[in-house]
Amino acid sequence: MSEAKMAESNGLRLLLDEPFYQPVANEVRVFLAAWDRRLPVMLKGPTGCGKTRFLEHMAWRLKRPLVTVACHEDLTSSDLIGRFLIEGNETVWQDGPLTRAVREGAICYLDEIVEARTDTTVVIHPLTDHRRHLPIEKLGIEITAHRDFMLVISYNPGYQTVLKDLKPSTKQRFVGMNFHYPPADVETRIVMKEAGVDEGRAKALVAAAGKARNLKEQGLQEVTSTR
């Protein structure tokens, strides 16, 4: 998790300090191109390779608030969109994190979206094409997304099975960006910065991580991540 200072209002995080991120290839340029066209983005890669930190850096760079939702199997569409709550003698509507992002022009990040139920993820479909609408059936309305709204999801292909994967109709709506563990020299610089260790110690840690990752094909399910 980034140590950057942030301001929070109505569940929206605005990063005030730059989260450290070391570019590896052209990922910054690709994301900015998607942002210019307000295209939804899918960050694909193993856990701990920098997907979340990259997005925090881009939200800071674009000066947009960030809404993060950690997806899980019990996540419902109401958790994303909103629900009616009882307050005293009244029933009031409370927006969910996705609705707040849509209304206020934030970047909404659905982390590990494949962990959510299929009937939950389909609610994002109208937001990921030319319509950019969010239907709220309980209110009987459709919200047109703020011009600066952007949807980003993360996805770890290595964890998925045939029975638990994103539908093709969902995948094809996103600009896919592939992330991997950085090259050894880049990862060394990252470890030096993040862990505050000297170059020799960082190189030793990266070398050990590299050896552990080579064991994945021999039954080691969770390898050593940069994080």
Side-chain angles (χ1 to χ4, degrees):
M1 179 60 67
S2 174
E3 297 293 335
K5 292 181 181 178
M6 64 185 72
E8 185 162 349
S9 175
N10 196 28
L12 307 180
R13 295 190 302 148
L14 183 62
L15 296 162
L16 304 179
D17 290 347
E18 179 181 0
F20 171 73
Y21 178 77
Q22 177 65 53
V24 176
N26 64 346
E27 63 267 34
V28 172
R29 183 165 57 86
V30 172
F31 191 92
L32 289 175
W35 163 259
D36 286 342
R37 295 161 179 79
R38 301 306 189 268
L39 298 175
V41 171
M42 175 168 57
L43 309 179
K44 299 185 291 183
T47 182
C49 70
K51 300 188 297 294
T52 299
R53 178 62 65 86
F54 168 74
L55 185 59
E56 288 180 342
H57 176 82
M58 297 309 300
W60 171 84
R61 185 167 180 160
L62 294 168
K63 296 180 173 56
R64 299 311 310 160
L66 177 64
V67 178
T68 300
V69 179
C71 297
H72 52 83
E73 61 184 7
D74 294 324
L75 187 75
T76 67
S77 58
S78 293
D79 293 327
L80 288 178
I81 295 176
R83 53 170 53 88
F84 286 105
L85 299 176
I86 304 296
E87 289 188 3
N89 296 323
E90 296 182 334
T91 301
V92 297
W93 173 262
Q94 183 179 74
D95 283 343
L98 178 59
T99 305
R100 289 197 297 272
V102 168
R103 290 186 191 274
E104 302 190 34
I107 297 174
C108 185
Y109 179 42
L110 304 182
D111 190 15
E112 297 295 351
I113 189 172
V114 78
E115 298 298 328
R117 299 188 323 213
T118 303
D119 60 339
T120 300
T121 57
V122 295
V123 304
I124 68 175
H125 283 189
L127 286 170
T128 55
D129 56 27
H130 66 282
R131 292 171 291 176
R132 284 176 60 86
H133 286 170
L134 177 64
I136 303 182
E137 294 183 0
K138 293 180 180 179
L139 296 178
I141 63 173
E142 274 191 345
I143 300 175
T144 299
H146 188 286
R147 181 185 180 280
D148 291 334
F149 168 77
M150 186 179 190
L151 183 64
V152 181
I153 64 175
S154 71
Y155 172 63
N156 185 347
Y159 280 174
Q160 312 318 323
T161 66
V162 174
L163 298 177
K164 191 174 187 181
D165 200 354
L166 284 179
K167 287 185 173 182
S169 60
T170 299
K171 289 181 182 178
Q172 58 90 21
R173 294 170 179 269
F174 291 83
V175 174
M177 297 180 61
N178 292 314
F179 284 74
H180 303 283
Y181 297 118
D185 59 332
V186 176
E187 192 165 21
T188 297
R189 294 198 297 271
I190 294 172
V191 173
M192 289 174 64
K193 170 70 175 179
E194 294 291 281
V197 298
D198 59 37
E199 185 176 4
R201 181 69 58 85
K203 284 184 176 180
L205 290 169
V206 170
K211 292 179 180 179
R213 290 167 193 163
N214 290 334
L215 298 175
K216 187 172 183 180
E217 302 302 323
Q218 301 180 37
L220 184 63
Q221 296 299 315
E222 187 66 40
V223 299
T224 305
S225 72
T226 306
R227 180 180 61 199

